[in-house]
Amino acid sequence: TPDNGPLEIVPGSHRGPIHSLWHDGVFTAAIDDELADKCRNQAIRCEGSAGACCFMHTRLLHGSAPNLSDKPRTLFITVYASEDAMALSPNPVPSTLDGEIISGTPTGRVRSIAFELELPQKPHQSSFFEQQSEAAARG
């Protein structure tokens, strides 16, 4: 519901630049405030009933407003990648299913393009949400 702080996305933003999640030497897991303010006008809200799914590119700018309701906001994240994609940093929440092929066959190849990106800080908490809360508390 709107009071539950649903996911908001900026359509097409996954095709744009990769934005830093580091600020003043601290990994915040969030884009900077100036960019976030600009994105609010372009964002669309993703609302759905219990059990609804949202499939999106990992680079899609996304976020949510605070949960102002008395109901919990639960989340289950699953990541799918091409068989010929290779992780650039370890999964901070490893799973026995990492690398499981759900369709197709192994190619023994890695597909890549030239680009640069900042690696995330491996979380010492259980999630990016906690990292963002910690960064917000620091001010």
Side-chain angles (χ1 to χ4, degrees):
T1 67
D3 290 343
N4 203 238
L7 175 71
E8 295 180 11
I9 62 164
V10 179
S13 58
H14 64 292
R15 294 185 179 103
I18 298 174
H19 301 286
S20 181
L21 304 179
W22 290 85
H23 307 287
D24 298 322
V26 176
F27 183 74
T28 64
I31 58 176
D32 67 53
D33 292 339
E34 185 178 323
L35 179 59
D37 287 342
K38 289 179 185 176
C39 291
R40 280 189 185 85
N41 296 333
Q42 303 167 42
I44 60 170
R45 197 177 273 168
C46 300
E47 295 181 33
S49 58
C53 294
C54 171
F55 292 90
M56 63 186 214
H57 195 287
T58 56
R59 284 182 44 193
L60 188 73
L61 288 175
H62 62 281
S64 59
N67 182 1
L68 303 175
S69 76
D70 60 352
K71 297 178 180 167
R73 179 173 59 189
T74 56
L75 174 68
F76 175 72
I77 298 175
T78 301
V79 176
Y80 292 94
S82 298
E83 179 277 332
D84 60 357
M86 178 160 296
L88 298 176
S89 66
N91 185 343
V93 187
S95 165
T96 58
L97 299 176
D98 282 352
E100 182 79 13
I101 297 176
I102 61 169
S103 180
T105 57
T107 63
R109 300 180 65 84
V110 175
R111 176 175 35 125
S112 67
I113 59 172
F115 70 99
E116 292 183 19
L117 91 129
E118 297 172 319
L119 292 176
Q121 177 181 348
K122 188 171 181 178
H124 51 276
Q125 299 97 349
S126 63
S127 75
F128 281 142
F129 302 114
E130 290 172 349
Q131 285 181 311
Q132 288 173 335
S133 295
E134 186 180 273
R138 285 193 298 269

